Amino acid sequence: MLVSGRDYPRDWNQFLDWFADEAACLSYLEQLRWPEGFVCPRCGDASEPYRSSRGRLMCRVCRYQCTVTAGTVFDKTRTPLRTWLAAAWYLTNQKYGVSALGLQRVLGLGSYQTSWAMLHRFRRAMVRPGREPLTGKVEVDESYVGMRDSSKLLAGARLKNHTSRSLVAIAVEMQQPKGFGRIRLRRVPVDSERYLLPFVRDAVEPGTRVHTDGSAAYRSLSEQGYVHQRSVHLGSDGPAHVSMPGVHRLASLLKRWLLGTHQGAVQPAQLDYYLDEFTFRFNRRTSRSRGLLFYRLLEQAVVTQPVTYQRIVARRA
Ligand SMILES: [Zn+2]
């Protein structure tokens, strides 16, 4: 059981107390990375390592040297860890998250690129590997979301009003008598069985009651072991928000979030990572403490593979 004030800071004042310098940040991340104590990444030895003054750890058995941040999203960063942790705090304490411009301003970062890349590295830590598939009663549908291409902004220019649309598959657990459970989102190229069936199989536990519209893309769900409920809309007199309120509501929350928090300035090729962030926030929306989200994000960040700036930017389409 994680405790506020012991496992993560209770508030911003305590954050400032705990993370006064780089050494304090390093030791916090070390605890998250090796909760049972240091384990040598090469030989697996678990004895207390030798420590150098520069924060390097050396295995007593095989002499392998590493750092707490090597092999994590913080690998080779030139940004102070204190700034990283403050970014994680800000990102998780804002109910709807933060745009790259907003983070740059609040942390006084030197460049938009730094801010943008930090947020993208954190987004890569927002998908928990091996998470449990959706169960119970699940609605599945697709929706188009519109975006403005922000690559001009990255290049230092003003945001152009260049819009594009992407199709997003949505699955949401419907609770009785009302309310939502967890969600899954995925960008798909077209609304065909080829993409939607794998989405359902990855997102939803077999045996679950799956509610879709009459689309042929979902015709083999029963054969796949799902209890398939279809709502066929006839012309304009069967609006989707009546028969499938869950996915309809989710789609509008997602669009509002992309337009509001991110001013729609999401590059289509980066959309997957924004969907991960939206899912991370939505599935933890009832968390009793924002500090717990801070903890979860950093916990995942220290087990998430590093990604270079070039690779993040290369996703630009
Ligand atoms: Zn070793």
Side-chain angles (χ1 to χ4, degrees):
M1 171 87 170
L2 297 164
V3 178
S4 168
R6 184 193 73 190
D7 298 298
Y8 50 86
R10 196 180 307 122
D11 52 31
W12 179 242
N13 274 329
Q14 194 165 47
F15 179 100
L16 293 174
D17 277 354
W18 285 19
F19 305 118
D21 54 30
E22 289 296 286
C25 299
L26 261 182
S27 107
Y28 187 74
L29 292 180
E30 185 181 339
Q31 288 232 342
L32 284 177
R33 185 167 181 186
W34 296 295
E36 317 293 330
F38 174 80
V39 177
C40 172
R42 188 160 79 183
C43 76
D45 186 74
S47 44
E48 177 60 19
Y50 297 113
R51 287 165 190 278
S52 84
S53 52
R54 297 189 335 278
R56 297 193 76 84
L57 309 171
M58 186 170 79
C59 173
R60 277 176 195 269
V61 175
C62 74
R63 306 257 147 186
Y64 180 74
Q65 287 192 34
C66 70
T67 62
V68 171
T69 53
T72 75
V73 297
F74 310 110
D75 203 1
K76 299 190 177 75
T77 180
R78 280 172 292 173
T79 304
L81 286 176
R82 207 161 173 260
T83 306
W84 275 103
L85 265 55
W89 182 265
Y90 191 71
L91 181 59
T92 48
N93 272 265
Q94 299 299 111
K95 191 172 177 201
Y96 300 108
V98 58
S99 68
L101 264 177
L103 187 70
Q104 183 192 358
R105 285 189 190 126
V106 78
L107 294 181
L109 297 171
S111 76
Y112 177 80
Q113 281 86 347
T114 302
S115 174
W116 183 86
M118 285 176 93
L119 287 176
H120 270 286
R121 290 198 169 93
F122 275 133
R123 278 188 197 109
R124 278 168 167 75
M126 285 183 182
V127 186
R128 188 162 58 87
R131 55 193 178 166
E132 302 294 311
L134 307 184
T135 56
K137 183 169 183 286
V138 174
E139 281 185 14
V140 178
D141 203 358
E142 325 87 48
S143 184
Y144 279 100
V145 298
M147 288 155 286
R148 282 186 292 167
D149 193 334
S150 68
S151 49
K152 303 287 189 300
L153 194 65
L154 267 182
R158 289 197 68 81
L159 194 60
K160 292 265 170 54
N161 207 9
H162 175 82
T163 57
S164 61
R165 301 194 311 165
S166 290
L167 189 62
V168 175
I170 300 169
V172 51
E173 286 176 339
M174 303 299 291
Q175 290 175 341
Q176 300 300 332
K178 62 183 193 130
F180 305 136
R182 297 166 301 152
I183 61 164
R184 293 282 185 272
L185 303 172
R186 179 183 293 177
R187 185 168 61 111
V188 289
V190 288
D191 59 347
S192 71
E193 182 172 38
R194 184 178 164 200
Y195 299 104
L196 293 171
L197 198 56
F199 169 67
V200 175
R201 278 203 304 252
D202 291 345
V204 187
E205 180 88 12
T208 300
R209 174 179 289 274
V210 176
H211 183 187
T212 70
D213 62 15
S215 163
Y218 300 109
R219 69 193 150 198
S220 65
L221 281 183
S222 308
E223 293 161 39
Q224 300 285 330
Y226 297 98
V227 183
H228 190 194
Q229 178 192 347
R230 294 173 76 193
S231 293
V232 183
H233 311 308
L234 296 172
S236 57
D237 56 349
H241 64 270
V242 175
S243 62
M244 299 183 62
V247 285
H248 185 84
R249 175 85 181 124
L250 248 296
S252 81
L253 286 173
L254 173 65
K255 288 169 196 175
R256 197 188 302 167
W257 181 72
L258 288 170
L259 285 172
T261 301
H262 302 288
Q263 285 99 53
V266 172
Q267 297 154 50
Q270 302 281 358
L271 179 64
D272 299 341
Y273 301 105
Y274 289 88
L275 298 182
D276 287 343
E277 178 179 352
F278 185 85
T279 304
F280 178 89
R281 290 181 183 286
F282 190 88
N283 289 349
R284 290 166 183 78
R285 68 198 180 283
T286 55
S287 258
R288 58 195 190 286
S289 156
R290 308 307 293 177
L292 189 57
L293 260 67
F294 167 80
Y295 181 93
R296 292 293 180 211
L297 178 57
L298 290 179
E299 183 182 50
Q300 288 171 214
V302 294
V303 296
T304 300
Q305 292 291 310
V307 55
T308 61
Y309 183 73
Q310 284 70 24
R311 259 184 54 210
I312 303 175
V313 174
R315 293 280 306 203
R316 258 150 71 172

